[in-house]
């Protein structure tokens, strides 16, 4: 097996951070890296000690959840809080940064932004990154998959297998059923 690239490694970290998100609209994670070392991480969620979207729903104004601090901002604020410099660092984020985060990223001295998914890529954010000399690059995870819906998929496969069992006598189908049981650890 081949080792994953540094870009994929840090992007996987961002996907892992996204699993901590408390926003029900979009789970985002961000990792700040300098010299191949993680210096901060963040996910989108409410202000510390505040009400979370998962508890009371999103607080939406003009199509945006205003309750949520974005993952990129949380990672940058973590650096500020603990006195960790971000000048010349790289940012790995699960989704292309919004316009406000774009400006914060530029102001913090981040030199490169790697993202896994396009998300409402604002044309002005793209222009600002170019003008500031901030490299943006899409990084896909080729070797690593983080599945947020394992339980739901397992139930669907189990239901399909149960229904197929009632209607089929095919040996090939039986073999597929046994393989699915192994993969999903079904009884």
């Amino acid at each position: 097996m081949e080792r994953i690239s540094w870009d994929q490694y840090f992007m996987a970290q961002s996907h892992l951070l996204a699993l901590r998100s408390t926003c029900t609209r979009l789970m985002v994670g961000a990792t700040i890296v300098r010299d191949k070392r993680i210096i901060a991480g963040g996910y989108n969620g409410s202000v510390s000690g505040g009400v979370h979207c998962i508890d009371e729903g999103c607080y939406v104004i003009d199509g945006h959840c205003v309750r949520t601090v974005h993952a990129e901002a949380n990672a940058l604020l973590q650096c500020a809080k603990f006195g960790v410099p971000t000048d010349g660092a790289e940012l790995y984020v699960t989704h292309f940064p919004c316009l406000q985060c774009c400006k914060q990223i530029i102001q913090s001295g981040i030199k490169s932004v790697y993202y896994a998914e396009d998300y409402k890529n604002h044309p002005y954010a793209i222009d600002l990154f170019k003008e500031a000399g901030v490299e943006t690059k899409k990084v896909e995870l080729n070797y690593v998959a983080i599945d947020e819906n394992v339980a739901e998929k397992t139930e669907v496969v189990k239901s399909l297998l149960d229904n197929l069992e009632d209607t089929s006598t095919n040996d090939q189908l039986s073999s597929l059923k046994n393989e699915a049981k192994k993969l999903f650890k079904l009884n």
Side-chain angles (χ1 to χ4, degrees):
M1 183 175 136
E2 240 180 85
R3 289 189 338 163
I4 62 174
S5 70
W6 283 111
D7 287 345
Q8 291 175 332
Y9 171 75
F10 294 126
M11 191 59 72
Q13 296 291 324
S14 294
H15 279 279
L16 187 60
L17 282 162
L19 296 175
R20 290 278 308 151
S21 172
T22 61
C23 184
T24 57
R25 298 179 75 209
L26 183 67
M27 297 171 74
V28 180
T31 305
I32 300 176
V33 174
R34 192 175 52 246
D35 299 325
K36 302 285 185 245
R37 301 290 180 257
I38 296 171
I39 60 172
Y43 53 88
N44 58 330
S46 300
V47 177
S48 295
V51 172
H52 295 283
C53 299
I54 57 174
D55 298 325
E56 293 190 15
C58 291
Y59 182 16
V60 179
I61 297 175
D62 296 329
H64 300 282
C65 180
V66 297
R67 176 174 282 142
T68 301
V69 179
H70 290 193
E72 304 93 323
N74 267 327
L76 290 169
L77 290 166
Q78 186 179 68
C79 287
K81 184 175 183 176
F82 295 106
V84 178
T86 55
D87 197 39
E90 300 170 316
L91 175 74
Y92 290 81
V93 62
T94 57
H95 297 77
F96 191 87
C98 72
L99 182 56
Q100 295 305 316
C101 286
C102 162
K103 293 186 273 186
Q104 294 170 28
I105 291 164
I106 292 168
Q107 288 298 97
S108 71
I110 298 284
K111 68 176 181 178
S112 301
V113 174
Y114 301 97
Y115 63 98
E117 294 182 43
D118 291 301
Y119 183 73
K120 301 179 182 179
N121 302 24
H122 197 286
Y124 187 49
I126 294 168
D127 290 344
L128 284 174
F129 279 140
K130 283 181 187 172
E131 289 171 16
V134 175
E135 174 193 15
T136 59
K137 180 182 173 188
K138 190 169 188 176
V139 174
E140 296 181 16
L141 291 175
N142 299 333
Y143 300 104
V144 179
I146 297 174
D147 193 342
E148 300 169 11
N149 301 307
V150 172
E152 294 86 352
K153 289 178 182 178
T154 301
E155 285 303 311
V156 168
V157 169
K158 188 176 184 320
S159 176
L160 284 170
L161 291 173
D162 289 345
N163 287 332
L164 288 172
E165 187 175 277
D166 296 340
T167 61
S168 180
T169 58
N170 187 331
D171 287 339
Q172 185 179 15
L173 190 56
S174 178
S175 175
L176 288 171
K177 180 179 178 181
N178 288 333
E179 187 65 25
K181 282 183 175 184
K182 287 180 200 170
L183 288 172
F184 286 93
K185 296 177 177 45
L186 300 173
N187 295 328

